[in-house]
Amino acid sequence: MSKQTPFAASGPPGRIARVVVEIALDKEFDYLIPDHLVNKVRLGSQVIVPFGPRKITGYVLSLQDRSDHAKLKPISRVVGDQPLITQTIVRLARWMADYYVCSVEQAIRTVLPSVVRQTKRAFKQVSHVELIEPALDDPAIDRLRKRAPKQALVLDVLRREPLITLPRLTAETGVTRSTVQAMAKKKLLRISQQAVNRDPFERYEVVPTTPLPLMPQQQQALDQIIQSIDTLEPLVTLLFGVTGSGKTEVYLQALAHVLEQDKGAIVLVPEISLTPQTVERFRARFGNIVAVLHSHLSSGERHDEWHRLQKGEARIAIGARSALFAPVQRLGLIVVDEEHEPSYKQEEAPRYNARDVAVVRGRMEGCAVVVGTATPALESLHNAAVGKYAMARMPSRVDHRTMPVLKIVDMRVEMEREGKLNVLSRDLMEAVQARLERREQTILFLNRRGFATSLVCPKCGYVAECRHCSVAMTYHKSSHDLRCHLCGAIEKVPARCPEESCQDPAFRYAGLGTQRVEEVVAACFKNARVKRMDADTTTRKEAYAELLGAFRAGEIDILLGTQMIAKGLDFPNVTLVGVVNADMGLHLPDFRAGERTFQLLTQVAGRAGRGDVAGEVIVQTFTPFHPAIQAARRLDYDGFFDQEIAFRKELGYPPFAHVICLTLRGTDQAAVQRVGERIMEKVRPAWGEEVVSSGPVAAPLARIKGQYRYQCVFRSRRTRTVTTPLRQVLAETKWPRDVRYALDVDALSLL
Ligand code: ADP
Ligand code: ZN
């Protein structure tokens, strides 16, 4: 044995554990597995290890025969009898750490919820009552019935149900705790502490449902998905079905197929759609084997639901983004509903996109993945177009109702006629008034809560765009100029509209808050009950459900809000949807602005006319001929896709390249910019023409909470061409005291 392999560090095979510890260090440490723990330490085990003078928690990420370090300390103890993380989840965490450029420890924290990591949290213990054998025979009970009728009643219940919780027993019989305790003393029954699962849905009654006979388009989609489940060929299916086409029923029957094979599944829905009604559809079909992972649950409930899955008591996990990492046994299917939703992207490190990681987990576990939506992300449809994904299309609604017609109101014409710019056009006013008279409901929708950053001519609809990038320029108030934050171009703010035929001086900054609109609407319709729903009015977690409940109950005439109300809601009495300003999203400095606007208008349109009355959608815009708005009006997804994909290809945007965004921030503006420049100088030589880069330039949100923000944006066909050298440079950079960075791989938004 050479000197490089110290004796202390080698030993019997697999006796060295490589451990990542719960403090933010991008490093793994080797520990010796002592004799008495040999059979307990496994890959994924949670362990307590000595670390300096302290004892800390860690996770075993691999088992080794040898280590490069001499003098290894032994693991102190193992927590629990089962490893908390499976081998695949460890692999997945490593993949995420690599792809999204974060530490393995950060990735582990993402895949393992904190309620499960905390060694303190345990199952809830509740007193249970059970009969002691030999139980009294019937004559003995009858004698007891005369002497102590209450005790006899307790025995009656226990003979029916031999194990029952003490609270339920007392509730059912009306006897007191002390009576039951006295019976325990007489050895008629036994009281013991037993773990119970906290059931987040015990208050909800579910009426069981059975599979519906499928429509032909659903049957075809299901057949395709079943083929994917059985053969993994192809692994991913894009279920492209219009709102109301019956996607959920297809998911349910695909899940049934997976359960028949004694496998489990994960269903991801956007946080905002994860309502009791959504969960109920799954529980109504599959009952208790559905576990819910939701940030609104108490931590005790989350702990128990996680362990129900891990023990195999629950087979289907339903939840938002992070439910992707649920410990489902023998995974057979992952469903990602509303796959186009930006909320699948986590906004803090690791900035992963659950839809994309779902495909990676599917590949690692050998399980099928279904991504479903009415408005596919361009990336997903492209994957289907080039044959990476299978596609199942469901173009018509189950109820055969036609999609509502979108009416476009040209706000330039409106302004001309009225002589001023009103929040609500005459058409929209009249339409709302008609609904009020017919006691039908209206949703008014604002594209974004929005900040006023883009320059728009209210007369001709001209929007200041970067001449190199085809994105709207951002107005910077502090410097009073226009900037493109993709390429860094700077331009002066024109004094009047540059459009030759227009030249109007009334240039303005687009931006209209929900609050302002609420004031206007309330003033226009004095007798109407108007409510606003946005991030500000729903900070309390119940507020969202309360508002929707009131709306459903008909206690609100006009509901006003942002994205929140565009999602998957189904209100039969809503016959009008008004989009107050469709342009707002279009002019954000974002190459996805057109796609987002198209998706949003299509989703919003899906909200109108789900009941017996046909729906109407009115869209107010300054740019009625914008391709995204025109395509939405015609409900023409394919036309939109063809046009948009050509634009992306020409300019080298996703899906033809990955976008990676490095944001630097700090209180000292010059220092932030200088660090950015130094980083760019170092990384640029590391790659050739494959990477298009820009920056550092001031971010569109140039200053947040007193911190200056600069961005460097990279586009490349392969992310690792950028991230590998960048990770290195970031690690080597001497960071000024208060400068921080965030790296976003496959960034969805560049604000
Ligand atoms: P999507 O998820 O595509 O918007 P849903 O799954 O919510 O559509 O279906 C819309 C409505 O149609 C639901 O009320 C659902 O119960 C009903 N539905 C779905 N499939 C069928 C079917 N095959 N027969 C009858 N009703 C169906
Ligand atoms: Zn530009």
Side-chain angles (χ1 to χ4, degrees):
M1 202 170 275
S2 76
K3 277 196 171 142
Q4 281 80 23
T5 51
F7 177 73
S10 61
R15 285 295 289 273
I16 289 162
R18 189 151 288 173
V19 174
V20 62
V21 294
E22 283 227 324
I23 45 179
L25 292 175
D26 197 2
K27 232 175 141 177
E28 293 161 38
F29 300 89
D30 290 349
Y31 287 89
L32 218 51
I33 303 173
D35 289 341
H36 68 286
L37 293 181
V38 165
N39 294 321
K40 294 183 84 180
V41 174
R42 282 184 272 160
L43 186 90
S45 290
Q46 189 176 29
V47 291
I48 307 293
V49 292
F51 195 81
R54 296 184 293 154
K55 294 260 167 96
I56 59 175
T57 307
Y59 299 91
V60 177
L61 294 192
S62 64
L63 296 170
Q64 316 268 334
D65 298 341
R66 31 164 300 198
S67 167
D68 294 337
H69 302 274
K71 289 259 165 70
L72 297 182
K73 288 183 186 166
I75 289 174
S76 309
R77 69 185 177 86
V78 181
V79 184
D81 351 306
Q82 277 208 47
L84 283 179
I85 323 176
T86 63
Q87 198 161 345
T88 314
I89 294 293
V90 171
R91 266 179 76 205
L92 194 60
R94 284 194 189 283
W95 181 89
M96 283 169 61
D98 173 53
Y99 188 88
Y100 292 108
V101 192
C102 70
S103 68
V104 173
E105 190 275 337
Q106 250 172 340
I108 292 286
R109 274 201 271 187
T110 305
V111 300
L112 200 58
S114 64
V115 287
V116 177
R117 283 199 318 268
Q118 286 157 9
T119 45
K120 287 189 291 293
R121 176 125 2 234
F123 293 94
K124 186 176 171 188
Q125 301 289 325
V126 170
S127 301
H128 280 67
V129 183
E130 58 191 318
L131 271 183
I132 292 181
E133 293 295 337
L136 295 184
D137 54 15
D138 290 346
I141 290 190
D142 283 338
R143 283 197 297 281
L144 186 65
R145 204 177 299 282
K146 299 205 184 79
R147 220 168 2 102
K150 286 189 172 168
Q151 296 193 11
L153 191 58
V154 168
L155 292 179
D156 286 344
V157 170
L158 284 176
R159 292 214 298 183
R160 203 166 4 102
E161 207 172 324
L163 179 67
I164 187 170
T165 68
L166 182 56
R168 260 196 58 214
L169 182 64
T170 53
E172 242 170 64
T173 57
V175 303
T176 59
R177 266 166 184 269
S178 52
T179 307
V180 181
Q181 276 156 358
M183 290 174 75
K185 281 216 182 87
K186 286 202 294 187
K187 298 266 190 290
L188 290 170
L189 48 79
R190 181 190 306 128
I191 303 177
S192 61
Q193 295 297 312
Q194 297 193 16
V196 291
N197 285 319
R198 281 152 285 209
D199 180 358
F201 290 88
E202 66 187 352
R203 282 172 297 130
Y204 294 91
E205 282 289 329
V206 265
V207 185
T209 61
T210 49
L212 297 169
L214 295 179
M215 313 227 311
Q217 63 176 14
Q218 286 174 307
Q219 187 62 52
Q220 222 166 24
L222 181 65
D223 290 345
Q224 265 183 280
I225 292 167
I226 284 178
Q227 186 196 325
S228 164
I229 292 169
D230 292 350
T231 66
L232 302 181
E233 202 50 62
L235 191 75
V236 189
T237 306
L238 169 62
L239 180 55
F240 179 6
V242 298
T243 327
S245 59
K247 292 187 288 296
T248 310
E249 185 61 34
V250 174
Y251 300 150
L252 288 168
Q253 299 199 19
L255 291 171
H257 181 80
V258 167
L259 292 172
E260 271 166 27
Q261 302 181 339
D262 201 29
K263 291 182 180 168
I266 294 172
V267 178
L268 299 185
V269 298
E271 178 88 35
I272 211 158
S273 320
L274 192 52
T275 59
Q277 290 83 352
T278 306
V279 176
E280 198 178 292
R281 290 182 72 177
F282 291 85
R283 287 177 55 103
R285 190 66 55 87
F286 303 116
N288 252 334
I289 61 162
V290 177
V292 181
L293 299 169
H294 191 307
S295 61
H296 284 184
L297 303 184
S298 74
S299 44
E301 287 168 341
R302 261 181 294 160
H303 170 271
D304 294 358
E305 291 287 89
W306 194 92
H307 281 281
R308 276 199 326 124
L309 287 162
Q310 202 210 18
K311 285 189 264 178
E313 291 169 20
R315 314 293 307 282
I316 298 174
I318 170 165
R321 189 169 59 218
S322 64
L324 174 61
F325 308 110
V328 173
Q329 303 295 313
R330 293 187 304 286
L331 197 56
L333 177 67
I334 304 174
V335 172
V336 185
D337 192 26
E338 309 276 356
E339 62 87 25
H340 65 280
E341 263 294 303
S343 68
Y344 280 122
K345 178 94 175 169
Q346 174 155 291
E347 279 169 11
E348 57 200 56
R351 294 176 170 74
Y352 71 97
N353 187 322
R355 184 217 30 227
D356 300 338
V357 182
V359 175
V360 177
R361 182 167 182 187
R363 204 175 296 131
M364 284 180 179
E365 302 242 11
C367 95
V369 180
V370 172
V371 301
T373 176
T375 50
L378 229 64
E379 286 87 341
S380 300
L381 201 68
H382 180 69
N383 279 331
V386 299
K388 265 206 226 163
Y389 296 177
M391 178 155 74
R393 242 181 134 149
M394 304 202 296
S396 42
R397 287 166 66 145
V398 170
D399 53 16
H400 294 293
R401 204 161 283 137
T402 48
M403 294 290 280
V405 179
L406 263 72
K407 183 171 176 184
I408 309 288
V409 175
D410 186 341
M411 292 303 274
R412 299 169 304 181
V413 175
E414 180 77 14
M415 246 192 71
E416 194 84 353
R417 191 177 60 206
E418 303 292 320
K420 64 181 189 334
L421 181 62
N422 291 323
V423 173
L424 302 181
S425 62
R426 198 188 288 174
D427 284 343
L428 187 51
M429 289 272 282
E430 285 170 5
V432 173
Q433 189 58 44
R435 293 323 182 279
L436 290 173
E437 282 159 17
R438 295 207 299 262
R439 307 198 136 272
E440 293 169 5
Q441 292 173 299
T442 298
I443 288 178
L444 289 182
F445 179 80
L446 262 105
N447 210 337
R448 296 230 180 194
R449 270 202 304 156
F451 44 84
T453 48
S454 49
L455 260 196
V456 182
C457 174
K459 196 156 176 197
C460 76
Y462 169 89
V463 176
E465 275 189 1
C466 175
R467 63 187 77 195
H468 313 293
C469 302
S470 307
V471 292
M473 300 281 277
T474 303
Y475 172 62
H476 283 245
K477 201 169 177 188
S478 49
S479 47
H480 191 60
D481 56 20
L482 295 168
R483 297 181 182 204
C484 170
H485 87 297
L486 276 179
C487 73
I490 300 179
E491 276 178 36
K492 279 201 289 205
V493 176
R496 46 184 63 240
C497 178
E499 199 66 51
E500 202 94 330
S501 56
C502 179
Q503 304 276 320
D504 199 81
F507 237 36
R508 64 176 69 221
Y509 306 102
L512 193 57
T514 36
Q515 248 166 321
R516 165 106 182 94
V517 175
E518 185 186 18
E519 278 170 25
V520 171
V521 172
C524 290
F525 306 102
K526 292 224 165 48
N527 298 321
R529 296 162 299 176
V530 183
K531 284 275 183 216
R532 171 165 61 97
M533 181 156 95
D534 57 25
D536 302 326
T537 61
T538 53
T539 43
R540 262 189 324 119
K541 76 174 183 187
E542 305 84 16
Y544 175 70
E546 279 168 21
L547 262 176
L548 289 184
F551 192 52
R552 196 178 293 278
E555 291 156 18
I556 298 170
D557 299 311
I558 304 173
L559 184 65
L560 188 98
T562 52
Q563 267 95 323
M564 263 188 195
I565 54 178
K567 301 293 148 56
L569 306 173
D570 191 354
F571 300 106
N573 200 34
V574 173
T575 59
L576 172 66
V577 173
V579 180
V580 176
N581 187 349
D583 308 296
M584 202 144 356
L586 278 180
H587 307 152
L588 283 171
D590 186 345
F591 65 89
R592 282 195 178 83
E595 181 181 0
R596 292 264 170 273
T597 299
F598 177 80
Q599 287 171 346
L600 226 46
L601 290 180
T602 312
Q603 299 270 344
V604 165
R607 295 307 113 225
R610 294 201 116 196
D612 301 326
V613 190
E616 186 181 5
V617 181
I618 296 182
V619 178
Q620 303 189 148
T621 174
F622 283 105
T623 51
F625 299 107
H626 190 285
I629 289 177
Q630 280 299 317
R633 185 182 67 79
R634 296 189 309 266
L635 300 168
D636 177 12
Y637 190 97
D638 299 280
F640 175 73
F641 176 79
D642 289 344
Q643 194 164 14
E644 184 72 15
I645 204 83
F647 154 73
R648 300 279 183 94
K649 186 167 191 175
E650 191 183 316
L651 294 168
Y653 287 127
F656 300 97
H658 293 270
V659 171
I660 296 148
C661 178
L662 174 70
T663 305
L664 305 154
R665 61 182 157 81
T667 48
D668 179 350
Q669 185 175 6
V672 176
Q673 190 171 4
R674 215 161 37 235
V675 176
E677 278 158 6
R678 271 212 305 272
I679 289 171
M680 290 307 273
E681 275 162 30
K682 282 202 195 146
V683 288
R684 271 212 182 96
W687 50 65
E689 298 224 318
E690 189 184 335
V691 180
V692 179
S693 65
S694 72
V697 290
L701 292 165
R703 200 166 167 221
I704 296 180
K705 290 182 185 159
Q707 299 223 309
Y708 291 92
R709 304 169 78 244
Y710 276 79
Q711 283 178 344
C712 308
V713 179
F714 311 91
R715 282 180 280 148
S716 167
R717 292 180 73 87
R718 290 182 312 136
T719 55
R720 283 175 183 89
T721 313
V722 174
T723 54
T724 305
L726 194 54
R727 181 195 281 267
Q728 182 82 20
V729 168
L730 290 171
E732 287 164 0
T733 297
K734 286 199 186 62
W735 293 91
R737 220 159 31 102
D738 78 340
V739 180
R740 301 268 180 282
Y741 74 87
L743 188 62
D744 191 352
V745 177
D746 292 334
L748 281 187
S749 126
L750 301 171
L751 302 176

